[in-house]
Amino acid sequence: LLHQEMTIESLPPAWWETSAIDGVIARVGAGNVQALLKMRVPIVDVRCVLTHSEIQIPQVETDEREVCKLAFEHLYQLGFRRMAYCGFQLAHYSQTRNRYFQELSQQHGCPCSIYESPAESSASLQTIEHIDQVDYGRLAAWLKSLQPPTGIFV
C-alpha cells in the first residue's frame, strides 16, 4: 500500500513504470488517463469527470448530497443557526455542494452566506482549487462580514 499525493492533472511519476504496483486509485482526467492505462493494472477513478464509456474504468462517485447533509447536521447540532458555504466557482463538485447546502439551510430556516473563489471558465480544476491562495483579500472580507456565530462548511 502506497499513498502518493499528486495534483489533479499530474502524470504518474516515472518510477511507477518499473515498480510492482498492483492497482491504482486515482483522480482520472484527460491529462493523465492514457499514462494510467499504460500501466496495465486495475484502476479505480474517484474523480469521475470522464464518462465510463469514454475510459472503461470503474468509478466511485462521492455522494455530494450526503456530504452536505452530514456537514449541515453537524453544524446544526452544535447550535449554529446561521450557515455559510465556502467553495470554488466552476468546480462541479463545489457548485453541487453549494446548492445542496443552501437547500438544507433554507429548509431549516437558516440564512446561508456563500463565498466562491473566482475562476476563469478555461481554468483547470487544479487552478480553480488553488485560486484561494491568491484571493485572500476577498475571502478575508467575506469572513469578516459573517455575523457570529456562523457555522462554515468548507
Side-chain angles (χ1 to χ4, degrees):
L1 175 63
L2 166 73
H3 175 258
Q4 174 74 43
E5 186 62 38
M6 298 170 54
T7 59
I8 287 181
E9 302 297 331
S10 295
L11 294 173
W15 63 264
W16 282 21
E17 293 175 18
T18 57
S19 66
I21 292 177
D22 296 318
V24 176
I25 298 173
R27 296 181 290 182
V28 179
N32 64 8
V33 65
Q34 292 306 318
L36 289 168
L37 290 170
K38 281 184 189 176
M39 296 174 68
R40 300 208 181 282
V41 297
I43 301 168
V44 175
D45 174 21
V46 295
R47 186 171 175 206
C48 303
V49 295
L50 302 176
T51 65
H52 179 71
S53 61
E54 288 177 297
I55 58 174
Q56 297 295 305
I57 295 174
Q59 297 175 316
V60 177
E61 182 92 46
T62 301
D63 184 341
E64 303 298 354
R65 187 178 297 274
E66 189 65 20
V67 168
C68 293
K69 181 181 174 211
L70 290 170
F72 182 87
E73 288 174 352
H74 174 71
L75 294 169
Y76 197 83
Q77 288 171 358
L78 290 174
F80 291 102
R81 297 302 180 262
R82 277 184 296 282
M83 303 294 177
Y85 176 74
C86 181
F88 303 103
Q89 189 179 57
L90 303 180
H92 176 71
Y93 73 90
S94 186
Q95 292 177 315
T96 302
R97 289 180 182 186
N98 177 346
R99 184 176 70 250
Y100 291 149
F101 196 74
Q102 284 187 69
E103 286 174 9
L104 288 165
S105 296
Q106 187 175 34
Q107 289 168 9
H108 288 82
C110 299
C112 185
S113 178
I114 304 299
Y115 176 83
E116 290 185 306
S117 293
E120 298 291 324
S121 60
S122 61
S124 70
L125 185 57
Q126 179 182 358
T127 300
I128 290 170
E129 289 182 341
H130 287 93
I131 194 69
D132 61 325
Q133 295 175 3
V134 296
D135 190 36
Y136 289 127
R138 276 188 64 221
L139 179 57
W142 176 72
L143 288 168
K144 288 177 186 177
S145 76
L146 298 175
Q147 182 181 353
T150 297
I152 304 174
F153 175 34
V154 179

